[in-house]
Amino acid sequence: FLMGALVGKKKVSRSEPARENDLKKKQGGVDGTKNENKTTAAGAYMFWEKNGKATMKKPPKLSKKQEQVNETIKATMKATLGGGDLKETVKLPDGEDKKEWIAVNTVHFYNAASMIYGTVSEDCLECKESCKIMSAGAKYEYLWQDGVQYKKPTKMSAPEYIDKLLTWAGEQIADPALFPVEPGARFPHGFMKQVKVMYKRMFRVYAHIYHVHFDKIKSLGANAHLNTCFKHFIFFIKEFNLVKDSDLEPLQKLIDKFFIPE
């Protein structure tokens, strides 16, 4: 069931771009966390649904059980409208199957990442210099490998990399052998291993957006919405140990802020 290989990552030595100076300016820098607490999870996702440009293939309909799980996710999001703790929304509800919970949330996070990237996709195409490779700051460059068409880690532009990533992730979600939808169907033995690859790769979309396209996000007045969605994504990753800490390094300073007691 493993339909994609791990993406290669290598460190590159280039001077930190001037954009790095903007990361500490208005609204808390790259993260803009100053106004983040005013934005609820439900409000943030509604913003992207209204303003985001979906770039993913439409996934198949959820099973009846998955629809029920999806409704639980929506309910937890609405709970944040009343000041609910975002950390609580990611926890496995009593009586829910762990893999089912992770599967439905994965579809949710995939849709969100697709819509968020959609708002900067044109900017990404136009940034010939900063997006000529898929990177997250000066230290991290990501190479694409899917084990099928690209059997070796391959350098490519950020738009090309992210397009292949979202297409690949959509194919994983649409594969009933990996994301079963039939009543009584079991998740495959390799489900968790493959899902972890998906989360690691989806993180890279956020890392690229924060490091290269945050000015665009700020111009849209969407930085608080981005922070809230990313915070939700990170809380889920941490709750189920889906991504290694070393793979989160490009945004570690921002992530650390999420865990400072309020």
Side-chain angles (χ1 to χ4, degrees):
F1 301 104
L2 300 180
M3 298 176 67
L6 297 179
V7 177
K9 178 181 76 173
K10 70 176 183 179
K11 293 193 175 184
V12 293
S13 56
R14 297 192 302 275
S15 60
E16 195 73 25
R19 186 182 302 273
E20 186 76 13
N21 294 327
D22 294 331
L23 305 186
K24 297 179 182 178
K25 290 184 179 179
K26 298 178 181 179
Q27 303 183 45
V30 63
D31 45 86
T33 51
K34 185 175 180 181
N35 298 320
E36 173 200 311
N37 291 333
K38 297 179 181 179
T39 303
T40 65
Y45 287 115
M46 283 190 287
F47 173 87
W48 295 116
E49 287 177 6
K50 181 179 179 180
N51 298 285
K53 175 183 175 184
T55 56
M56 71 290 190
K57 294 180 180 179
K58 187 176 181 181
K61 291 184 179 180
L62 300 176
S63 66
K64 185 175 181 180
K65 172 60 178 174
Q66 289 171 334
E67 286 286 4
Q68 294 172 346
V69 175
N70 195 43
E71 288 304 312
T72 300
I73 295 173
K74 289 180 180 179
T76 61
M77 290 298 99
K78 288 181 180 179
T80 68
L81 290 172
D85 186 354
L86 195 57
K87 285 193 185 78
E88 295 299 314
T89 69
V90 303
K91 293 182 178 179
L92 180 67
D94 292 339
E96 292 289 356
D97 178 78
K98 179 181 176 181
K99 289 183 178 179
E100 198 83 67
W101 179 247
I102 290 176
V104 177
N105 272 279
T106 300
V107 175
H108 166 77
F109 287 122
Y110 168 70
N111 288 340
S114 298
M115 288 187 289
I116 292 170
Y117 175 69
T119 63
V120 299
S121 59
E122 291 183 6
D123 190 52
C124 198
L125 285 168
E126 293 171 1
C127 294
K128 302 296 184 181
E129 185 62 29
S130 56
C131 294
K132 65 182 180 182
I133 61 171
M134 176 60 179
S135 65
K139 295 182 179 179
Y140 298 93
E141 177 182 354
Y142 301 115
L143 308 179
W144 181 252
Q145 181 179 7
D146 58 19
V148 182
Q149 186 177 359
Y150 296 87
K151 295 185 178 181
K152 295 181 179 181
T154 305
K155 181 191 291 283
M156 59 183 60
S157 69
E160 187 179 7
Y161 182 102
I162 296 175
D163 178 69
K164 292 186 183 304
L165 187 159
L166 293 175
T167 298
W168 171 84
E171 290 171 350
Q172 306 304 295
I173 292 171
D175 181 4
L178 185 63
F179 283 74
V181 293
E182 293 298 322
R186 289 190 162 195
F187 286 90
H189 177 70
F191 173 75
M192 287 303 301
K193 184 177 180 179
Q194 190 69 346
V195 162
K196 288 181 178 181
V197 178
M198 294 176 69
Y199 276 88
K200 182 172 71 171
R201 291 180 170 181
M202 285 192 288
F203 167 81
R204 292 171 178 177
V205 176
Y206 281 104
H208 180 73
I209 290 173
Y210 271 109
H211 278 278
V212 182
H213 301 290
F214 195 66
D215 285 346
K216 177 65 175 180
I217 293 293
K218 286 198 296 184
S219 74
L220 298 171
N223 42 310
H225 297 298
L226 173 63
N227 291 335
T228 300
C229 293
F230 180 60
K231 188 174 185 178
H232 182 212
F233 179 72
I234 289 298
F235 283 168
F236 193 81
I237 282 174
K238 292 291 188 179
E239 179 71 16
F240 297 100
N241 193 29
L242 297 171
V243 180
K244 295 178 182 178
D245 288 343
S246 60
D247 289 314
L248 300 176
E249 287 180 0
L251 294 177
Q252 192 59 58
K253 289 183 179 179
L254 172 58
I255 293 170
D256 288 344
K257 290 183 180 181
F258 293 162
F259 292 89
I260 296 175
E262 296 180 4

